[in-house]
C-alpha cells in the first residue's frame, strides 16, 4: 500500500510556472507507476501525465505536451510535475495516483491509490 500527498499548487498568472510534488509513503514506491490527473469544476477527471516505475518513459496528454514535464526521484519517494507556460484552462484540482501496472494507464479507474489533490488556479 502507498499513501500519496500532493503539494505545490497555488494561484498564478497565465504564462507562469509551478512545480507540483507528489510525496509517497512506503518502501515500495519504485514498484508503482505514477499518473497526474486533473479535474476542473463540472468536468471529468482527465489524465495529464504519467511515468513508469524507473522513470524511463513518460506520457502526456496533448493539451500539456511541450509545457509540462513529469519526473520522479525514487530515492526521495517523490514525483514532480513541472508546469510551464500555464494557461487559464489549466485551472483544476490536480491529483497524483499510483498503480502497480507495468505500463502507465490513462484511465483513472485503473489506479488504486490517490492523493487528496492540490489546487492550481491560473488567472488571465
Amino acid at each position: 500500500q502507498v499513501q500519496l500527498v500532493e503539494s505545490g499548487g497555488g494561484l498564478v498568472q497565465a504564462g507562469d510556472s509551478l512545480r507540483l510534488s507528489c510525496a509517497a509513503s512506503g518502501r515500495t514506491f519504485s514498484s508503482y507507476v505514477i499518473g497526474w490527473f486533473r479535474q476542473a469544476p463540472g468536468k471529468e477527471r482527465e489524465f495529464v501525465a504519467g511515468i513508469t516505475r524507473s522513470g524511463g518513459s513518460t506520457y502526456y496528454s496533448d493539451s500539456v505536451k511541450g509545457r509540462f514535464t513529469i519526473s520522479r526521484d525514487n530515492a526521495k519517494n517523490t514525483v514532480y510535475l513541472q508546469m510551464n507556460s500555464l494557461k487559464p484552462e489549466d485551472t483544476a484540482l490536480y491529483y497524483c495516483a499510483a498503480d502497480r501496472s507495468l505500463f502507465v494507464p490513462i484511465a483513472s479507474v485503473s489506479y488504486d491509490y490517490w492523493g487528496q489533490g492540490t489546487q492550481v488556479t491560473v488567472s488571465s
Side-chain angles (χ1 to χ4, degrees):
Q1 190 170 353
V2 63
Q3 293 182 325
L4 305 172
V5 178
E6 304 94 336
S7 62
L11 172 62
V12 297
Q13 293 186 333
D16 286 351
S17 298
L18 278 176
R19 188 177 80 158
L20 305 184
S21 297
C22 172
S25 65
R27 300 180 181 177
T28 59
F29 177 68
S30 60
S31 298
Y32 294 88
V33 299
I34 302 294
W36 280 100
F37 289 77
R38 66 186 181 187
Q39 189 166 19
K43 295 187 176 181
E44 293 186 354
R45 192 170 297 189
E46 65 171 348
F47 175 83
V48 175
I51 191 166
T52 52
R53 298 175 179 183
S54 67
S57 296
T58 57
Y59 304 87
Y60 301 93
S61 66
D62 288 342
S63 61
V64 307
K65 196 173 296 182
R67 299 187 298 122
F68 291 11
T69 302
I70 187 171
S71 61
R72 70 189 295 164
D73 185 340
N74 285 341
K76 295 183 178 181
N77 281 13
T78 303
V79 170
Y80 305 98
L81 185 67
Q82 178 67 42
M83 306 186 297
N84 298 331
S85 303
L86 283 162
K87 305 175 181 180
E89 50 263 44
D90 294 318
T91 295
L93 188 60
Y94 283 72
Y95 300 89
C96 64
D99 190 71
R100 285 187 174 270
S101 301
L102 294 177
F103 56 93
V104 175
I106 294 177
S108 60
V109 294
S110 298
Y111 288 82
D112 294 325
Y113 305 102
W114 290 82
Q116 294 300 307
T118 185
Q119 178 68 39
V120 172
T121 303
V122 184
S123 63
S124 57

